[in-house]
Amino acid sequence: MSALLRRLSLWISVLAALLPAPAAIAHGGGTPRHGGVVQMANDLSFELVAQEDGATIYIEDHDKPMATAGFGGKLGVLLAGVKADAPLKPATPNALVANGLKFGPGAKVVAVITTPQNQSLAVRFTLR
């Protein structure tokens, strides 16, 4: 290969490496099914639905409800500089519920969820 072709090949490789990668599209979509805020983590879909005195998190795997029996964790809320948290407990077949929390626009919410296999994952939400 001539020196010119080698340099051209090198520049093409460098430029290709600098181009932004296409955005990954998560399976399961980000469309709320219960009127909440959806986030993806570990190939699962988590929908946070704030209520008057707490919240429910619905969990789906590939658009199918995921059983939450044996799950647990903690839901933390930061609203107007005030932090509060409450335990997450299994509810309906694919939901976790936390009671005694207040939510509002701009609230930052972190769910630390523990699986029956004792694995933990954190999911972050921002309410609008």
Side-chain angles (χ1 to χ4, degrees):
M1 186 187 286
S2 74
L4 179 62
L5 285 177
R6 277 189 293 229
R7 273 192 234 148
L8 181 61
S9 176
L10 175 66
W11 277 107
I12 290 172
S13 297
V14 168
L15 289 174
L18 293 176
L19 290 174
I25 299 174
H27 63 274
T31 305
R33 295 178 189 245
H34 306 279
V37 178
V38 177
Q39 289 291 353
M40 301 292 291
N42 291 12
D43 291 330
L44 299 173
S45 172
F46 298 85
E47 182 178 358
L48 173 72
V49 179
Q51 289 128 4
E52 189 173 317
D53 190 38
T56 301
I57 296 178
Y58 296 92
I59 304 175
E60 292 186 352
D61 183 10
H62 296 90
D63 292 329
K64 292 188 170 74
M66 181 174 182
T68 56
F71 279 64
K74 181 172 79 171
L75 191 66
V77 180
L78 179 62
L79 178 62
V82 178
K83 184 179 181 211
D85 55 64
L88 282 166
K89 298 179 181 175
T92 60
N94 71 315
L96 296 170
V97 174
N99 294 312
L101 297 171
K102 299 292 180 194
F103 298 89
K108 307 280 188 208
V109 182
V110 177
V112 178
I113 298 171
T114 306
T115 68
Q117 295 79 26
N118 210 27
Q119 296 175 333
S120 293
L121 63 108
V123 186
R124 301 179 194 289
F125 303 88
T126 300
L127 300 183
R128 295 174 192 203

